[in-house]
Amino acid sequence: MDAILALSEGFTALLAPQYILACLLGAFLGTLGGVLPGLGPTGTMAILLPFVLTLDTLSALIILAGIAYGANFGNSTAAILLNIPGDPSAVPTALDGHPLALQGRGGPALAVAALASFATTLLGTLTLAFIAPVVASFALRVGAPEYFGLLLLALTIVSSFSQGSAVKGFLMMAFGVALTLPGLDPVTGSERLTFGVGPLIAGFSLIPVAMGLFAFGEVFHNALRRSRPDTIPQVGKLLPSLKELKPLPPVVARSGLLGFIVGVLPGTGPAPAAFAAYGMESRVNKDRDQFGSGSFSGLAAPESASNAAAAGAFVPTLTLGIPGSAPLAVLLGALMVLGARPGPLFLDEQPDLYWAFMASLIVASILLLILNLPMIRLWVKLLSVPYPLLAAVILVLTVAGVYSFELRMSDVWIALILGIVSVALRRGGFPLAPIILGFVLGEELERNLRLTLEVSGGSLMIFVERVPSLIILLGVVLVVTYPAMKFVYRRVRGAPRVPEANA
Amino acid sequence: MAPDDAPRGTSRADKIPTTNDELILAAAFGLIGLLFVLQSWALGWTTDRGLLGPGAFPVAVGALFTLLSPVVFYQAFKNRSRSGFPVNHPSHQEIGDSQTHRTEPPPNIQSNPGTAATTRTGSGSQMVLCIALTGVFVGLLPTLGFTTIAILFTVAIQCLLGWRNWKGVLASILAAAGIAYVFIEVLAVPLPRGVLF
């Protein structure tokens, strides 16, 4: 009852025009970033960070969260019409969405994607609003050893389950953590690992790192790999028939629940949720024979799951300060720059901010349905914007944005170098998500390790003497050894060995 | 939920072929790791109070690099010798946020009956020139000023990436001038003005 009252107060706080505008802007920009293939939520957030960081905390939070939600709505458009998933979570959407578009059912496919996304975003957000305070109350009992373990768990999950080889994931996580090391030691304040390069004394900031990896990197990489669709299938009539809609509610419910649970796990996010839901429905759905050739159930499942996961990912982000996905790592980093610190104390210390934010997510869900259903033809038109213009705008915005943050040319050079590194990593099949998570969490990881050892007088036994810490560390061991266990299991079963991938 | 439960062809259990980039990167990360270990070692493992010093954590991170790099190198080398086709083979679709997935459906699912035709327009030389042009843009920014160099840069990128007509030139000039106006006049960011202004 208290929570409902607090949420209603959140809606009241949200009535200020700047917050409504922030909701609209976040939803619009997120959808735009999702619709335009190759940008995605992380890239969109990175490009907009310099603007967002000039705002107050709530407005910044609303815009960034709107982008995270909106990109999940928008990425289905290019996936369905062009078979070009703008984001990993839209890959399973394309499997059934694109065949529907080729059959002249592009409009109903886009409508089903938008409706499924809306239903699970709204339900996921309501669940998040009421579950987060419960999780936070447990998290309040977490000490430095447990927090260190949780950070390590999040980093190992995102590394182990990122696309491609787990070893590459761990290497990229270490790379992200390594980027936090040059500069001043967080405890003693002494200079370290600057290699005699003056600008490194200030360390790496979030903006050049995020914009270099995700904005410069994306454009450079697209210059190598982009392809242009020869035609865009017609959208046609929008609304699906009742017969087509009838089997969908159970699919949306099942996939939404699964997606939310996957999303709550730190370091996962929408993509694994979408794949998991598609995989589940391809086994249990009574229309599974139609999957892959244009099934509305096959389309609704990943869309429901990815959007529920986008909401679920906020649970660890807000209650533990551990981002649930790469875009939320950027969001968390931005909040740290603004002076807010999501974590166990976030709800206690800033309840007004929390509930107004929850209210804004609900408003954003409704705005996203409006933007993605009646206005879908506008987004389809955007698919024909010439890429050279888009690339030039992104590059100029990135240079101006990085420079404007601290007015340092060295930051622009750092971003450019990281953009080149990003292209090399993409070409080599190294995942980028662990880098940004490692970068955002690296300093906290070191700080909590040193704090723990200070408390224990330098003894590492503290990590195993405390039961919650021991359980978390066992989880870390499980996640780290999972790829090896899978390999051994396959060998024992005598199944044909599947080679490790490199994505 | 592990991606292994995802449809076959979308999980990391599927082999995606490799390029020389992997080998070079693995070696580079190994060297960076060694450099980190060597540099951090001198910083001290402990403080005067016997607590963890500024060098301990960087040594651990450097050691992780040094341990993992040979594994990645070995995997890349093994994959390359097993299958030679490059990572941008058409069976792989590059998607946003730098994740690579195969997009074939699960085994019990029929293949897509067709797909919208696309024309490949990107190339390696375009990428190198794009990076070089951006380097020139950043290098000349303090001298020529943001507005001038941004307009020249956007026109150059348009021409490089293939939109070479008066509409493209006009759109790029308007876009660059618009961005400069927003940053300088609306957001009051003191972007470099250069020698011309």
Side-chain angles (χ1 to χ4, degrees):
Chain A
M1 199 62 197
D2 287 349
I4 293 170
L5 192 66
L7 186 60
S8 67
E9 284 172 4
F11 277 109
T12 311
L14 203 67
L15 287 176
Q18 74 264 31
Y19 298 136
I20 296 292
L21 190 64
C23 275
L24 193 59
L25 204 61
F28 178 84
L29 293 171
T31 308
L32 181 67
V35 168
L36 296 173
L39 203 50
T42 319
T44 313
M45 280 184 181
I47 291 166
L48 293 166
L49 269 182
F51 300 99
V52 171
L53 292 178
T54 61
L55 304 172
D56 64 282
T57 308
L58 180 57
S59 300
L61 193 54
I62 290 172
I63 291 179
L64 291 175
I67 293 170
Y69 270 20
N72 265 317
F73 270 72
N75 63 19
S76 57
T77 307
I80 290 169
L81 295 180
L82 304 178
N83 201 22
I84 300 175
D87 187 68
S89 62
V91 172
T93 301
L95 290 176
D96 278 285
H98 189 60
L100 283 166
L102 292 176
Q103 292 160 22
R105 306 290 290 149
L110 289 167
V112 164
L115 288 168
S117 300
F118 169 70
T120 51
T121 301
L122 190 63
L123 288 173
T125 304
L126 286 169
T127 314
L128 157 72
F130 297 112
I131 214 176
V134 181
V135 178
S137 65
F138 281 105
L140 277 171
R141 297 170 208 165
V142 167
E146 289 78 22
Y147 195 59
F148 171 79
L150 283 170
L151 291 167
L152 207 56
L153 184 65
L155 289 173
T156 49
I157 286 177
V158 78
S159 308
S160 188
F161 295 152
S162 57
Q163 283 80 17
S165 111
V167 184
K168 280 183 177 171
F170 287 119
L171 194 61
M172 290 301 94
M173 180 267 283
F175 180 46
V177 175
L179 289 175
T180 66
L181 299 177
L184 300 177
D185 176 55
V187 177
T188 63
S190 58
E191 190 182 322
R192 70 179 182 188
L193 296 168
T194 55
F195 303 100
V197 181
L200 283 186
I201 293 174
F204 291 101
S205 309
L206 175 71
I207 286 190
V209 170
M211 293 184 86
L213 289 172
F214 294 100
F216 273 145
E218 198 68 53
V219 175
F220 295 158
H221 196 57
N222 277 336
L224 170 72
R225 296 181 49 91
R226 77 199 158 88
S227 53
R228 185 188 62 227
D230 295 338
T231 53
I232 298 174
Q234 292 295 309
V235 171
K237 157 175 106 69
L238 260 184
L239 289 180
S241 66
L242 275 177
K243 190 183 162 195
E244 286 166 332
L245 282 175
K246 202 176 166 187
L248 299 185
V251 177
V252 171
R254 278 194 299 266
S255 304
L257 181 64
L258 177 65
F260 189 85
I261 294 167
V262 173
V264 168
L265 296 174
T268 51
F275 285 113
Y278 193 82
M280 178 181 76
E281 286 299 323
S282 70
R283 292 185 193 107
V284 304
N285 197 288
K286 63 180 180 185
D287 296 328
R288 59 183 176 273
D289 293 343
Q290 298 299 312
F291 275 38
S293 56
S295 158
F296 281 102
S297 296
L299 170 65
E303 281 298 305
S304 309
S306 66
N307 285 279
F314 275 103
V315 174
T317 309
L318 295 177
T319 59
L320 298 169
I322 296 173
S325 60
L328 295 195
V330 177
L331 181 142
L332 187 72
L335 288 181
M336 287 169 166
V337 173
L338 287 165
R341 184 72 187 93
L345 295 172
F346 182 60
L347 271 80
D348 270 3
E349 289 175 351
Q350 296 174 295
D352 296 345
L353 180 64
Y354 174 79
W355 289 108
F357 175 53
M358 287 300 116
S360 80
L361 289 179
I362 293 168
V363 172
S365 313
I366 297 162
L367 287 174
L368 282 167
L369 182 67
I370 297 167
L371 283 173
N372 283 274
L373 206 53
M375 292 174 68
I376 190 67
R377 285 174 219 280
L378 168 77
W379 301 113
V380 174
K381 276 194 180 141
L382 269 176
L383 289 174
S384 53
V385 169
Y387 182 75
L389 180 64
L390 186 67
V393 167
I394 292 172
L395 290 174
V396 173
L397 269 177
T398 304
V399 170
V402 173
Y403 179 80
S404 68
F405 183 56
E406 297 275 2
L407 304 180
R408 282 195 305 234
M409 280 307 294
S410 58
D411 279 349
V412 185
W413 284 112
I414 287 171
L416 182 59
I417 291 165
L418 285 173
I420 297 167
V421 171
S422 165
V423 175
L425 293 174
R426 289 162 203 249
R427 281 176 56 83
F430 289 82
L432 297 191
I435 303 178
I436 198 71
L437 260 84
F439 179 73
V440 170
L441 299 181
E443 196 175 320
E444 281 297 303
L445 190 72
E446 181 179 7
R447 198 192 307 274
N448 279 280
L449 173 66
R450 290 168 77 169
L451 185 64
T452 304
L453 293 180
E454 193 172 336
V455 170
S456 70
S459 168
L460 288 169
M461 289 306 289
I462 190 170
F463 289 110
V464 290
E465 283 167 353
R466 294 165 64 116
V467 175
S469 168
L470 179 65
I471 292 170
I472 295 166
L473 287 181
L474 285 174
V476 173
V477 172
L478 195 69
V479 172
V480 171
T481 53
Y482 171 73
M485 288 193 297
K486 190 179 66 184
F487 176 80
V488 172
Y489 176 71
R490 285 205 172 114
R491 275 290 171 93
V492 169
R493 273 182 63 201
R497 186 180 169 278
V498 182
E500 197 75 12
N502 302 318
Chain B
M1 181 69 210
D4 303 270
D5 294 331
R8 194 190 72 183
T10 56
S11 79
R12 66 188 168 75
D14 277 321
K15 182 183 165 209
I16 293 177
T18 181
T19 65
N20 283 335
D21 300 271
E22 274 182 282
L23 296 172
I24 296 166
L25 284 166
F29 279 119
L31 289 174
I32 291 170
L34 275 176
L35 191 67
F36 260 61
V37 172
L38 293 174
Q39 284 276 323
S40 312
W41 203 278
L43 294 171
W45 287 73
T46 54
T47 63
D48 299 340
R49 293 160 55 207
L51 303 172
L52 217 54
F57 190 70
V59 165
V61 175
L64 194 60
F65 266 104
T66 316
L67 287 172
L68 293 177
S69 299
V71 182
V72 173
F73 192 91
Y74 171 72
Q75 281 182 348
F77 190 76
K78 201 175 60 172
N79 285 350
R80 196 173 72 151
S81 59
R82 193 178 296 141
S83 165
F85 63 99
V87 77
N88 56 358
H89 188 274
S91 65
H92 297 92
Q93 189 156 2
E94 192 71 20
I95 47 184
D97 280 4
S98 308
Q99 311 288 1
T100 306
H101 294 266
R102 283 185 159 191
T103 53
E104 296 105 31
N108 58 331
I109 289 170
Q110 300 166 29
S111 299
N112 283 357
T115 186
T118 57
T119 305
R120 177 81 185 268
T121 52
S123 69
S125 58
Q126 276 193 4
M127 182 191 72
V128 172
L129 283 171
C130 189
I131 292 172
L133 273 176
T134 311
V136 171
F137 174 27
V138 177
L140 291 180
L141 180 59
T143 313
L144 290 183
F146 183 80
T147 311
T148 310
I149 192 71
I151 289 172
L152 292 174
F153 174 73
T154 45
V155 172
I157 288 286
Q158 297 298 308
C159 295
L160 172 69
L161 297 182
W163 201 27
R164 301 183 189 102
N165 55 35
W166 68 269
K167 279 185 190 170
V169 172
L170 186 66
S172 55
I173 291 171
L174 289 175
I179 293 168
Y181 178 80
V182 168
F183 271 89
I184 296 167
E185 301 297 333
V186 180
L187 299 174
V189 175
L191 290 172
R193 302 180 78 88
V195 292
L196 299 177
F197 292 97

